[in-house]
Amino acid sequence: RIRVLRAVPVEPPAETLRPRIPDLIVDIDPGAQVRVRLNPAAMPSCRALPVGAGAAGREDLAALGERATRLASAVAARGETLLQIGRHLAAVQRGFFRGESPSLVPLRQREAAVQLSMHPSTLSRAIRDKSLVTGGIVHPLRLFFQVAMPGPEGALSAFDVQQKMRQLVAAEDPCRPLADEVIAAKLQTEGVDIARRTVAKYRKWMRIPPSFARRRRKDA
């Protein structure tokens, strides 16, 4: 049995993880205005070369030229759609980008699509696996689309509720980690209308282990 074991106990990973390249760059200019631009390192540069005059009689070359033109137009339209969404987020979440507020304004994808005169499915496809960078930090675009939840001082975004959960977990007794139902109860006493299953969902999103696993980690 020993003969079948590998001589090297630890093998290098099959492939190196590549850092995420943000698709949008958010800057704050000297006048405190939020500016959004496409990241040239993430967006492909594509243009169609004109078909030569000698190829006028070549139907295959003409068809390829037409396909290239459509492809270049589609890439340009994709970038323009993404930039349009980014500028809308900059307007809605201005306080967050300026550093004036740690909170995000609740915003549904459907609401944003209506304001941008865009089909919801188009917006959903445009932000899928896309991100932006601001202040040296990369954020997925889906982070800025949050469901509104009732709070003590008005509507809260899911982002704000998750921040409150992080604070509760960070301050918990290492010997008695807070279960999901306890976290939900504590949030409810603060005026946040949230169910235990929602707490469990957010906890998984934030990659926070359940209470029994947190107890084991702290005991170790």
Side-chain angles (χ1 to χ4, degrees):
R1 185 176 299 273
I2 294 179
R3 293 178 180 177
V4 301
L5 297 178
R6 297 179 179 178
V8 182
V10 178
E11 295 183 350
E15 65 176 305
T16 304
L17 293 177
R18 298 181 180 178
R20 170 174 288 183
I21 300 177
D23 304 271
L24 296 173
I25 300 175
V26 180
D27 299 312
I28 309 299
D29 66 17
Q33 297 297 317
V34 184
R35 305 296 183 187
V36 183
R37 55 191 171 94
L38 294 173
N39 185 0
M43 298 300 296
S45 178
C46 182
R47 65 187 182 92
L49 297 176
V51 178
R58 295 281 303 276
E59 295 183 0
D60 55 342
L61 290 181
L64 289 174
E66 185 179 351
R67 287 177 56 188
T69 301
R70 288 200 303 266
L71 176 61
S73 299
V75 171
R78 173 189 171 194
E80 186 59 34
T81 298
L82 194 59
L83 188 59
Q84 187 180 4
I85 295 172
R87 287 171 176 167
H88 182 70
L89 291 178
V92 175
Q93 310 292 357
R94 184 180 295 108
F96 178 84
F97 289 119
R98 285 178 174 177
E100 300 169 349
S101 172
S103 302
L104 288 175
V105 177
L107 176 66
R108 290 179 177 270
Q109 291 187 25
R110 185 173 295 276
E111 295 173 358
V114 171
Q115 295 169 0
L116 291 170
S117 300
M118 188 181 300
H119 196 278
S121 62
T122 301
L123 187 145
S124 179
R125 288 194 303 270
I127 68 172
R128 184 178 304 160
D129 299 327
K130 300 295 188 300
S131 60
L132 62 78
V133 60
T134 179
I137 302 175
V138 178
H139 300 286
L141 288 185
R142 62 179 175 82
L143 172 71
F144 300 96
F145 295 95
Q146 302 283 338
V147 178
M149 302 182 65
E153 299 178 357
L156 288 174
S157 68
F159 176 81
D160 297 329
V161 176
Q162 291 169 23
Q163 294 300 98
K164 289 180 177 292
M165 289 176 56
R166 285 188 185 276
Q167 295 171 1
L168 289 173
V169 172
E172 68 185 4
D173 184 350
C175 299
R176 301 178 62 185
L178 302 176
D180 293 341
E181 56 267 23
V182 177
I183 294 176
K186 287 182 174 293
L187 291 174
Q188 289 169 4
T189 59
E190 296 182 13
V192 181
D193 186 10
I194 189 171
R196 183 206 63 80
R197 62 179 179 275
T198 305
V199 169
K201 179 175 67 174
Y202 288 172
R203 177 178 53 74
K204 292 177 182 177
W205 284 358
M206 294 185 290
R207 297 184 179 180
I208 297 177
S211 57
F212 70 88
R214 299 202 301 273
R215 184 184 303 114
R216 289 178 183 173
R217 290 187 176 185
K218 293 172 181 178
D219 290 343

